[in-house]
């Protein structure tokens, strides 16, 4: 790698060892969860600047519930991508729990933000769908 070049997820996980997952699946999930953390935070911030019918009343959304869903999602996605990045000594019970929590939080955001026509909600909804799918793909590969 060139000195000063940005290190990507693939290089980071290769250097730490991946443990129980195929590297490609793990990279996909970690990248999706990092994007979800960012997009959830951005969507919550955008909604916090909305007033009345501009967001919430007119599009069938409960603004407070949607902001809470976004913040919960950002937290769960952040925890999940950090736990997944720790390498092969990670506890499978913890991995399962954080992946399930991240997928559940993402699903809630799909419902909350999926009703809104706003660009930030549309970006967030797609990010949440992608991350939930990646989390569930990893869950499907875990031993029972």
């Amino acid at each position: 790698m060139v000195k000063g070049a940005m290190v990507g997820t693939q290089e980071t996980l290769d250097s730490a060892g991946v443990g129980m997952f195929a590297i490609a699946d793990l990279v996909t999930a970690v990248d999706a969860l990092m994007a979800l953390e960012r997009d959830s935070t951005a969507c919550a911030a955008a909604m916090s600047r909305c007033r009345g019918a501009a967001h919430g009343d007119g599009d069938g959304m409960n603004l407070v519930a949607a902001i809470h869903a976004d913040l919960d999602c950002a937290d769960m996605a952040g925890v999940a991508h950090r736990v997944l990045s720790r390498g092969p000594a990670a506890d499978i019970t913890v991995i399962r729990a954080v992946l399930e929590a991240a997928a559940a939080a993402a699903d809630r955001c799909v419902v909350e933000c999926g009703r809104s026509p706003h660009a930030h909600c549309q970006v967030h909804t797609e990010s949440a769908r992608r991350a939930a799918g990646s989390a569930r793909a990893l869950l499907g590969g875990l031993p029972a």
Side-chain angles (χ1 to χ4, degrees):
M1 180 175 14
V2 177
K3 185 177 180 180
M6 189 169 155
V7 175
T9 306
Q10 177 84 41
E11 293 83 8
T12 299
L13 294 175
D14 279 344
S15 70
V18 296
M20 63 190 84
F21 301 111
I23 186 71
D25 295 340
L26 186 58
V27 168
T28 297
V30 168
D31 282 344
L33 289 161
M34 287 191 301
L36 181 57
E37 181 180 25
R38 178 200 61 225
D39 296 343
S40 297
T41 301
C43 188
M47 283 190 288
S48 73
R49 294 186 298 271
C50 294
R51 303 281 187 273
H55 201 314
D57 297 337
D59 58 22
M61 257 182 117
N62 178 325
L63 191 59
V64 173
I67 290 170
H68 278 265
D70 284 1
L71 295 174
D72 289 347
C73 193
D75 289 344
M76 293 301 100
V79 167
H81 82 72
R82 286 189 300 275
V83 168
L84 289 172
S85 298
R86 292 185 181 143
D91 183 309
I92 193 168
T93 303
V94 173
I95 290 172
R96 182 176 282 112
V98 298
L99 286 171
E100 288 171 350
D107 289 343
R108 180 174 173 214
C109 285
V110 167
V111 170
E112 293 292 340
C113 286
R115 296 184 280 220
S116 173
H118 295 87
H120 57 87
C121 285
Q122 297 299 310
V123 167
H124 183 223
T125 298
E126 184 52 38
S127 181
R129 282 189 181 113
R130 197 171 31 257
S134 293
R136 287 194 175 92
L138 289 183
L139 280 166
L142 290 175

